[in-house]
Amino acid sequence: ASAAQPMAQVVRALGTRHCALTSLPGKDMLSAVRNFLGRGEDLTPATASAAQPKVQDVKAEDYATPQKYLDGAEIPSYYQFQSNMVADEDLKPGMCRNVDVDKRLTVPTRTHLRFLVTATDVIHSFAIPSLGIKADGTPGRVNRVNCFIQREGVFYGQCSELCGSLHGFMPICIEAVSPELYAAHAKKWYKD
């Protein structure tokens, strides 16, 4: 009886749709659970006609491929650019010293965004306090940060990890624009 009691707990853990197992006595219950877990015969009732699944080989050629890639277009993997801090002598009225950059990262508002953060040399930290984002960039590891920006504007941040001699000169500048303006801006980078 003591061996059947743990087995009854296992059967209860399988869920209510398998409650027929609980009415089986001792050895029959054990063999039924073994069969159900794949160590014996199938538990399907003899009256139920089980349709065999259709097995079919699938090759990569069977999937639809956009015509532009068949014509030899380059498949984009990610967009990459270098953004540098604006030097003091190049500052214009309205620009912020030590946090403004020559190329801002432009993103759309009212859109779910995902930032993938990594590093190639030392540990960095991608931090934009006004968006509530802070993620470490570690070599050999990719961290994901999700974001949803509701209003247009310019958001400033910087590397917040002591990463080297130029640590204080690694600003991050994100410009959030309307989805319509972003679509017009992105046309020069992404075609169709």
Side-chain angles (χ1 to χ4, degrees):
S2 62
Q5 201 159 6
M7 191 54 62
Q9 292 171 356
V10 169
V11 171
R12 262 182 263 136
L14 292 176
T16 57
R17 62 188 175 126
H18 305 293
C19 61
L21 295 177
T22 57
S23 63
L24 298 175
K27 277 188 172 181
D28 292 336
M29 184 188 307
L30 183 59
S31 63
V33 171
R34 283 186 182 157
N35 289 338
F36 176 75
L37 295 176
R39 297 182 184 165
E41 299 172 352
D42 191 11
L43 282 181
T44 55
T47 58
S49 62
Q52 292 295 327
K54 184 179 177 184
V55 178
Q56 175 180 346
D57 290 336
V58 178
K59 300 178 214 123
E61 295 86 24
D62 295 339
Y63 291 101
T65 304
Q67 187 61 38
K68 65 180 182 177
Y69 297 129
L70 294 175
D71 294 338
E74 182 180 335
I75 298 174
S77 57
Y78 59 91
Y79 174 64
Q80 175 180 334
F81 68 97
Q82 184 169 346
S83 179
N84 298 312
M85 185 175 67
V86 176
D88 288 342
E89 56 270 6
D90 296 331
L91 284 173
K92 295 183 176 112
M95 294 178 92
C96 299
R97 182 176 177 270
N98 283 347
V99 291
D100 235 321
V101 296
D102 56 355
K103 293 180 188 170
R104 292 177 174 170
L105 175 62
T106 306
V107 297
T109 57
R110 302 183 307 277
T111 305
H112 291 280
L113 303 171
R114 179 176 62 183
F115 294 104
L116 300 176
V117 181
T118 188
T120 57
D121 48 2
V122 295
I123 298 174
H124 294 281
S125 186
F126 182 77
I128 301 134
S130 55
L131 292 178
I133 295 175
K134 184 173 182 179
D136 286 337
T138 308
R141 188 175 293 258
V142 177
N143 289 327
R144 181 179 72 188
V145 179
N146 296 319
C147 181
F148 187 86
I149 302 174
Q150 295 183 354
R151 64 179 174 88
E152 297 180 21
V154 180
F155 302 93
Y156 296 101
Q158 63 187 24
C159 179
S160 61
E161 186 75 40
L162 294 175
C163 55
S165 59
L166 296 176
H167 158 71
F169 306 102
M170 293 185 186
I172 301 166
C173 186
I174 294 180
E175 183 174 4
V177 297
S178 68
E180 298 79 23
L181 186 62
Y182 178 77
H185 167 77
K187 275 186 184 177
K188 64 182 176 181
W189 304 111
Y190 305 104
K191 295 187 170 117
D192 196 25

